[in-house]
Amino acid sequence: MSKQAIKFYSKPAGGWGALRSVFKHIHAQGIVGRGVSTLLRANQPDGFDCPGCAWPDKNHHSTFEFCENGAKAVAAEATERRADRALFESHTVAQLAAHDDYWLEGQGRLTEPMRYDAAQDRYVPTSWDDAFTLMARHLQALPDPNQALFYTSGRTSNEAAFLYQLFIREYGTNNLPDCSNMCHEPSGTAMKEQIGIGKGTVTLDDFDAAEAIFIFGQNPGTNHPRMLGTLREAAKRGCRIVVFNPLRERGLERFADPQSPADMLSSQGSAIASSYYQVRIGGDLAVAKGMAKAVLEAGDIDADFIAAHTDGFDAFRADVVAESWTTIEAESGLTEAQIRAAADIYRQSHASICTWGMGITQHKHSVATIQAIVNLLLLKGNIGKPGAGACPVRGHSNVQGDRTMGIYERPSPAFLHKLGKAFDFTPPAAHGHDVVSAIEAMLAGEAKVFIALGGNFAVATPDADRTQAALRQCALTVHITTKLNRSHLVHGQDALILPCLGRTEIDIQASGPQGVTVEDSMSMVHISAGMNAPASAHLLSEPAIVARLAQATLPHSKTPWAWLIEDYDRIRAKIAEVIVGFEDFNARVHVPGGFYLGNSARERNWQTATGKARFLAHAVPQDLPIATLRAQHPTQTVFNLMTVRSHDQYNTTIYGLDDRYRGVFGHRRVCFINPADLSALGFKAGQWVDMRSVWHDGHERVARRFLLVEYDIPAGNLASYYPETNNLVPLSSMADRARTPASKSVPVTLSLNQEQDAA
């Protein structure tokens, strides 16, 4: 564990610091030799897909295609450590829950199915047969299938996800909340309405041809480190990279590519951003609209594209012209001159890409913001030509693929028809629960069984205290997972932990070793095959767990569950029957590198309500919750808090206690604050504060003991790590229409913690 310290990090992202970190993590997991050989198979044609982020693979024949944080994920999965029955014999659930998330992760791989024993307050070993019998009994006893909830993590393979949604719909519900509900749901909602498809329109080749790249609300240095190599190559050939982000992030400033001898010999690395604008939290809609205003005022638009491929332009133009620069400046936190300078770069570029992450999607007005960004692209015809397009960068490695496979609480009638025809049943048509409504249903006692295929639902979700109370009201909670996490300790009356194979492990079924498939952020589908022996002889694959659960629960199902599991090619053949774009799936995916699914908007085939790409006007919002609550609490300083990852974590998985690029070592309970705000409050860096959510529903939400850290962030804004601050996010604070928790704009107040001297 690192010594606690706050110190400025002067080096570029990547470089020797990244290499030292990779070695430290594989050494800590006791797998130096095997860890290196495993990493060399990551993202290779004959290897496994990284269980980390969904950034595509550029070169399938390079020496290595992994990044620092991908290496952490691989090391954590391939670890020698075991969370076996001895751990559970020596700890009650209450004792386990007293440890932090880093300690829980550090116990290693789970080795056998475990059932909660209330009399002992312990998890005890159980057999797979008994586990499936228990789950089936609970599910069959429910008077309504809609009282069961089935969550999915973005690490789940296409094959497991397809079988999972099939089982759930044969069971009789569309209750399929998933991690998309908490991240890029607004991207899909916004773009499908506007350009006819909810996926990004670019490929990696477009980054080679782009003349300008605009990055909104994204920190690739921590969240998608391999993207930095792509940005570095673009910057070196003269592409302008313009960043809009509240925090100064090292990965967006400078990067030393570990595969570049020149970068590794330099203390500075390569510059990434040519312009860096620290927009106020939630101010990106104002920025995009201001840039559109400058472009329109200059008359520098692609009139032929607009006439041939779009509608709504006249109304959009009138709305933009009417928007005042005073409002744009006030809401964005940038000056008119700064926005015009960014617009000039956009105007001068013949091919531009706009990328964004959860700094855009996790706001009340996220759908409108994304549509404002797409409006900007449409103005100059920057969709459907080389080097240009929209690029929402997804998080987990197969979060996009899971949605493609039908993990969606609001399935289309066309999808349900094809699914029912392929498997000879009538799927339910009524929409199911998303993440927020699933929590509400548990709180109300309307949902009794919760089954999670991966993930860490209890702490990944908003309003964590209420979410955990909701889970404890369930009759049964089940977690299919590789490692112990806090969700397993927040259990129903009955509870199971079911250990599964990881991405790096060999999956042997009746026909021999199997591969699974994933879809990355740019719609490339490729196969993944593990190389390591399983962590335990008692592990089952995710597809096998789903199939055996279906067999136990649905004894009269016409689906040949056991036969499908014998050879995953059989699952893929059924996927090809149901999912558009997967024709000849088996033949195409076994080609090295896989295949591209295609994108209708990239072909300028606009599958919208009007048959064209749509300009959609949105006013710059001045009545967001932060503004309203500041007006309602004039005697208090109400800050806008954004939750972020540290560099030593991936989603809720904590690999270590350092955030190297932000200069935080050995800490996680920190609050980044502007020095002027510290002075105005009369506080000092190094003091401990409590954060209180300011909301209108009467629930008290407090996160205690966070260290104040001076940081380059706009005044009035704060940043802190999740999941430690997820309890501050009100359940009812979410994106309009998309219902994604507004975790990047949480109104809070600060007060000094009463135990300032405690370590």
Side-chain angles (χ1 to χ4, degrees):
M1 183 183 298
S2 299
K3 184 178 179 181
Q4 291 187 341
I6 305 295
K7 54 185 178 182
F8 177 70
Y9 187 77
S10 61
K11 300 182 177 75
W16 294 108
L19 291 181
R20 283 191 293 269
S21 176
V22 168
F23 180 79
K24 180 182 79 171
H25 281 272
I26 63 174
H27 182 269
Q29 300 300 335
I31 55 165
V32 173
R34 180 157 53 87
V36 171
S37 63
T38 301
L39 286 170
L40 291 175
R41 288 277 295 276
N43 302 313
Q44 299 295 328
D46 60 345
F48 62 91
D49 192 79
C50 177
C53 80
W55 189 253
D57 309 329
K58 177 67 172 178
N59 181 358
H60 291 282
H61 302 286
S62 66
T63 304
F64 61 88
E65 275 290 331
F66 61 87
C67 66
E68 175 188 349
N69 281 4
K72 294 172 187 175
V74 170
E77 182 175 294
T79 180
E80 285 292 319
R81 299 177 185 178
R82 297 292 180 263
D84 56 19
R85 64 173 61 187
L87 173 69
F88 296 99
E89 288 172 352
S90 61
H91 292 79
T92 65
V93 168
Q95 289 168 339
L96 289 170
H99 290 281
D100 63 21
D101 296 332
Y102 175 50
W103 186 91
L104 295 175
E105 167 73 21
Q107 299 314 296
R109 292 291 300 279
L110 293 158
T111 60
E112 60 185 317
M114 306 297 289
R115 174 184 58 81
Y116 179 66
D117 183 339
Q120 302 182 62
D121 187 36
R122 279 184 168 84
Y123 277 101
V124 297
T126 190
S127 70
W128 279 106
D129 286 344
D130 286 348
F132 291 125
T133 297
L134 178 64
M135 288 189 281
R137 186 172 74 241
H138 274 278
L139 290 171
Q140 291 166 352
L142 293 178
D144 182 350
N146 293 305
Q147 291 183 356
L149 303 165
F150 301 88
Y151 179 73
T152 318
S153 159
R155 282 180 63 169
T156 304
S157 69
N158 287 330
E159 290 73 16
F162 183 78
L163 292 185
Y164 195 49
Q165 63 82 30
L166 171 62
F167 156 61
I168 292 161
R169 292 185 166 113
E170 283 198 30
Y171 174 67
T173 184
N174 283 310
N175 284 347
L176 285 145
D178 74 320
C179 56
S180 289
N181 295 149
M182 294 189 287
C183 58
H184 271 282
E185 197 72 61
S187 297
T189 300
M191 294 194 299
K192 189 168 182 61
E193 180 179 52
Q194 197 167 16
I195 61 174
I197 188 168
K199 300 180 181 182
T201 67
V202 300
T203 68
L204 273 183
D205 289 341
D206 289 312
F207 282 83
D208 294 334
E211 295 182 10
I213 300 169
F214 296 83
I215 301 174
F216 292 86
Q218 185 190 359
N219 176 23
T222 287
N223 301 330
H224 316 91
R226 283 189 298 149
M227 182 179 178
L228 293 184
T230 302
L231 295 176
R232 171 186 174 275
E233 292 175 9
K236 280 190 167 295
R237 63 173 175 76
C239 176
R240 305 292 296 279
I241 298 175
V242 181
V243 173
F244 299 100
N245 202 64
L247 293 168
R248 297 293 298 193
E249 300 286 18
R250 181 53 46 85
L252 290 168
E253 295 175 317
R254 306 197 71 82
F255 171 60
D257 189 341
Q259 297 195 59
S260 166
D263 276 10
M264 296 301 284
L265 291 172
S266 166
S267 62
Q268 296 300 311
S270 301
I272 299 298
S274 51
S275 302
Y276 201 125
Y277 298 109
Q278 288 180 261
V279 64
R280 185 172 296 155
I281 290 174
D284 303 271
L285 192 157
V287 169
K289 193 166 187 180
M291 289 177 65
K293 186 176 177 72
V295 170
L296 286 168
E297 287 174 354
D300 194 357
I301 62 175
D302 188 335
D304 291 340
F305 172 85
I306 291 170
H309 291 283
T310 74
D311 63 16
F313 176 70
D314 290 341
F316 165 75
R317 178 172 53 189
D319 174 76
V320 171
V321 169
E323 193 74 76
S324 75
W325 278 109
T326 300
T327 298
I328 291 169
E329 287 185 316
E331 296 304 317
S332 69
L334 303 181
T335 65
E336 178 181 343
Q338 288 175 312
I339 295 173
R340 286 189 181 278
D344 284 345
I345 294 173
Y346 181 68
R347 288 177 47 233
Q348 293 159 12
S349 167
H350 296 96
S352 298
I353 293 172
C354 288
T355 82
W356 63 89
M358 287 191 289
I360 298 301
T361 64
Q362 292 184 326
H363 294 274
K364 184 179 189 299
H365 59 305
S366 57
V367 172
T369 300
I370 293 162
Q371 291 183 339
I373 292 170
V374 174
N375 285 336
L376 185 63
L377 289 168
L378 294 176
L379 274 177
K380 289 184 67 65
N382 276 311
I383 294 181
K385 69 180 182 182
C391 182
V393 183
R394 314 282 174 168
H396 244 150
S397 61
N398 199 40
V399 61
Q400 184 161 302
D402 288 351
R403 182 55 59 87
T404 301
M405 291 296 107
I407 301 292
Y408 189 36
E409 75 279 0
R410 292 177 288 162
S412 70
F415 169 79
L416 293 178
H417 173 74
K418 294 187 74 172
L419 185 70
K421 183 178 179 181
F423 291 95
D424 194 17
F425 79 108
T426 303
H431 290 174
H433 287 302
D434 60 16
V435 163
V436 170
S437 65
I439 298 168
E440 292 170 338
M442 287 187 284
L443 283 170
E446 297 168 358
K448 300 293 187 181
V449 173
F450 177 87
I451 299 176
L453 187 57
N456 189 1
F457 189 87
V459 296
T461 46
D463 229 338
D465 295 339
R466 297 183 69 207
T467 297
Q468 293 179 23
L471 287 165
R472 289 190 173 99
Q473 292 184 200
C474 289
L476 172 69
T477 53
V478 179
H479 296 277
I480 301 164
T481 185
T482 58
K483 303 185 80 175
L484 186 66
N485 66 45
R486 189 153 308 276
S487 289
H488 311 151
L489 312 177
V490 182
H491 55 79
Q493 296 169 39
D494 280 333
L496 292 166
I497 303 174
L498 304 180
C500 62
L501 293 172
R503 194 76 64 75
T504 62
E505 291 170 318
I506 301 169
D507 179 358
I508 301 288
Q509 301 298 335
S511 65
Q514 305 297 310
V516 295
T517 61
V518 295
E519 177 187 344
D520 63 34
S521 277
M522 296 178 192
S523 301
M524 288 296 299
V525 179
H526 41 95
I527 202 156
S528 173
M531 59 173 287
N532 293 333
S536 163
H538 300 292
L539 304 186
L540 295 181
S541 71
E542 287 183 333
I545 292 172
V546 172
R548 289 185 62 179
L549 173 57
Q551 284 181 299
T553 307
L554 307 172
H556 303 297
S557 171
K558 299 174 185 177
T559 300
W561 297 101
W563 179 81
L564 288 170
I565 294 303
E566 290 175 358
D567 187 336
Y568 293 176
D569 277 358
R570 296 169 181 173
I571 305 173
R572 287 187 280 272
K574 298 303 287 186
I575 290 172
E577 285 186 41
V578 176
I579 309 294
V580 175
F582 284 81
E583 297 78 15
D584 298 320
F585 190 5
N586 279 309
R588 294 159 71 200
V589 81
H590 286 292
V591 174
F595 65 94
Y596 178 53
L597 274 177
N599 183 286
S600 54
R602 183 179 177 84
E603 303 301 321
R604 296 188 171 177
N605 172 14
W606 315 106
Q607 298 179 8
T608 66
T610 63
K612 291 189 174 185
R614 305 175 66 192
F615 282 98
L616 296 172
H618 296 283
V620 173
Q622 301 178 65
D623 58 349
L624 294 173
I626 185 65
T628 301
L629 291 165
R630 281 172 173 165
Q632 291 174 351
H633 299 271
T635 63
Q636 294 179 287
T637 302
V638 180
F639 290 94
N640 209 8
L641 168 72
M642 60 186 289
T643 68
V644 298
R645 292 177 183 164
S646 80
H647 194 61
D648 262 359
Q649 77 178 92
Y650 195 81
N651 290 346
T652 59
T653 302
I654 310 301
Y655 300 124
L657 301 180
D658 294 346
D659 192 357
R660 187 170 75 251
Y661 299 153
R662 297 189 184 113
V664 177
F665 300 90
H667 286 280
R668 281 196 57 82
R669 300 186 75 83
V670 299
C671 174
F672 298 105
I673 186 170
N674 183 290
D677 287 328
L678 272 179
S679 178
L681 290 170
F683 296 170
K684 296 179 180 179
Q687 288 183 308
W688 297 86
V689 295
D690 298 335
M691 289 186 271
R692 284 179 170 78
S693 181
V694 183
W695 203 243
H696 49 68
D697 58 5
H699 292 282
E700 184 179 32
R701 301 174 177 88
V702 185
R704 300 190 185 279
R705 286 196 56 74
F706 285 75
L707 186 73
L708 288 171
V709 176
E710 284 190 7
Y711 206 79
D712 192 353
I713 184 173
N717 295 177
L718 305 173
S720 190
Y721 303 133
Y722 70 80
E724 289 84 352
T725 51
N726 279 3
N727 69 316
L728 297 173
V729 184
L731 195 59
S732 58
S733 177
M734 54 187 168
D736 294 337
R737 299 173 56 207
R739 296 173 55 84
T740 297
S743 300
K744 293 295 186 285
S745 48
V746 187
V748 299
T749 60
L750 300 181
S751 60
L752 289 177
N753 182 271
Q754 297 306 303
E755 302 176 24
Q756 289 297 309
D757 295 331

